[in-house]
Amino acid sequence: MMRVALRVILLTVIHLAVSDAMAQDFCNDRMRKACAVCGLQLKDAPLPAGQAREMKAKDGQTVVVRTNSMAAIEHIGIPLFNADMRLLMPSPVYDFLEYATLNWRYQITPNQFHLRKVVFRRGSWNTLVSSQLSQAECSISNEDDKYYVVSWFNHGNEIACVGVPIDYELLGNDTRRNMERELVRLLEENNGPAALPQPSFISEDDLKVYGTGGLFVKEGEYHMLVELNQNVYYTLQTVREQVDTIIRGVAQTMVMEDILPVVVIDGEHPAESLGNLLMAGDGAVADVLLTLDFHLSSYHRRQLSIPMSRLRTTLTGEGCKLFFAGSGVNGGYAHGILFVVNAARGYNHLLNISMPLEQLTAFQPQAKADVYLYIPPIDKSHLYGKLPDKKSGEKFKH
């Protein structure tokens, strides 16, 4: 009897531990530790996907918690900026300062040396903690691509002014090496079967003529260059369908014809076909198995094979946008660049893709990619988000 009771207790403890772990996921251990240090209660009321919520820490301090599209917590901080500003001016400075202020308040990271790089022209860390700055007017300027200068105002009077170096690892609140490891780990953990989307139905009205080869294009966004885009390419195909019907009391079979746009997967159009396989997100397109060769910090290398659908889901869940540019055909291979942009956090991923031409139309196509993670953008106006001109003095009100 005692043995049975102990077994029940043990199973209950295990169930509670699993339930607690499943109640809310975290993007990394840093977020998990921050939640624990602040004493946030998430087990009974986990946050939905893609939302930000203000909560109370164990000592009554207001903190903001945000989840990504997969309901994993990706940001915790002391709120310093309003939602309109974040939406209109994506920048890595927001998450950095909110988390850095939380870190200073609760000493989440024992080594606080990196916070010394932040320069206060007015106010202090305590000002950021206690002044409810998310309710104040705020402006950001860029000084010679070296510093962000962030100022908060109340009725025209400056409350606080902070200088934050445009330093990639500082703004990421972590080292590049750690961020690389976290992303590779996330891809490995998610390396299971992914639910493919259903085939999409495109109207001819959505298409534009593309080139002279009978192709059409549904234009998407582009990044910096029009060649680096989210376009999907189509051809028009006659579809015939037999329909049984009754006419004047007589059963008849009629052949119905329609002209429908079909996603192009054709060796005659290698660049467009490769782009469609990587970008279309259409259930009518085969799922590519990518062998990713990660070129990591300190000359480390790592390989991982993962379906393109899973890679796309994971990266977009991290807040990234994907863009593709075909770079030609050479030696029987189609080549292209998959450019992954996270404007809000100020980094890019770069994947150099190569696929044998015969794989373009294979039932289960395979491709290889050399992957370079967390690359600071070369053009800082795109790399670190759209900021107002340093002389504009533009301000955002709550």
Side-chain angles (χ1 to χ4, degrees), residues 111-161:
N111 183 359
Q112 303 263 313
F113 181 76
H114 69 288
L115 296 184
R116 298 183 186 181
K117 296 181 179 180
V118 177
V119 178
F120 282 88
R121 299 185 183 181
R122 182 179 295 277
S124 63
W125 288 110
N126 191 56
T127 308
L128 303 188
V129 170
S130 59
S131 298
Q132 296 185 332
L133 295 179
S134 63
Q135 307 298 318
E137 298 177 4
C138 183
S139 70
I140 297 180
S141 60
N142 183 334
E143 291 197 352
D144 301 321
D145 284 337
K146 294 180 180 178
Y147 269 85
Y148 289 132
V149 177
V150 188
S151 299
W152 292 267
F153 302 87
N154 184 17
H155 300 296
N157 297 318
E158 191 175 61
I159 305 169
C161 182

Side-chain angles (χ1 to χ4, degrees), residues 142-193:
N142 183 334
E143 291 197 352
D144 301 321
D145 284 337
K146 294 180 180 178
Y147 269 85
Y148 289 132
V149 177
V150 188
S151 299
W152 292 267
F153 302 87
N154 184 17
H155 300 296
N157 297 318
E158 191 175 61
I159 305 169
C161 182
V162 181
V164 180
I166 299 179
D167 177 305
Y168 169 70
E169 291 188 345
L170 176 69
L171 291 168
N173 272 306
D174 208 344
T175 65
R176 178 173 177 174
R177 182 181 181 186
N178 286 343
M179 288 188 285
E180 289 173 341
R181 286 180 172 180
E182 283 290 340
L183 181 56
V184 173
R185 179 187 62 81
L186 183 63
L187 292 172
E188 287 177 328
E189 289 181 352
N190 288 344
N191 195 11

Side-chain angles (χ1 to χ4, degrees), residues 85 88-91 94 343 380-389:
M85 187 174 189
L88 296 172
M89 292 171 45
S91 170
Y94 305 133
K380 289 184 173 60
S381 67
H382 291 89
L383 230 341
Y384 290 99
K386 295 180 180 179
L387 293 173
D389 185 84

Side-chain angles (χ1 to χ4, degrees), residues 183-231:
L183 181 56
V184 173
R185 179 187 62 81
L186 183 63
L187 292 172
E188 287 177 328
E189 289 181 352
N190 288 344
N191 195 11
L196 291 176
Q198 295 297 313
S200 59
F201 297 94
I202 302 297
S203 167
E204 289 185 54
D205 296 336
D206 298 330
L207 304 179
K208 294 183 179 180
V209 175
Y210 177 80
T212 58
L215 296 187
F216 297 82
V217 60
K218 181 180 179 183
E219 294 182 343
E221 295 181 41
Y222 70 89
H223 180 69
M224 294 193 290
L225 304 171
V226 292
E227 292 82 6
L228 202 60
N229 55 54
Q230 297 174 340
N231 293 351

Side-chain angles (χ1 to χ4, degrees), residues 305-347:
S305 292
I306 185 172
M308 181 62 207
S309 58
R310 180 61 66 189
L311 178 67
R312 187 189 301 112
T313 300
T314 302
L315 294 176
T316 54
E318 294 288 294
C320 298
K321 288 187 175 182
L322 279 64
F323 302 87
F324 176 78
S327 55
V329 175
N330 184 24
Y333 284 78
H335 300 278
I337 296 172
L338 190 64
F339 207 63
V340 184
V341 180
N342 193 320
R345 299 187 190 177
Y347 65 73

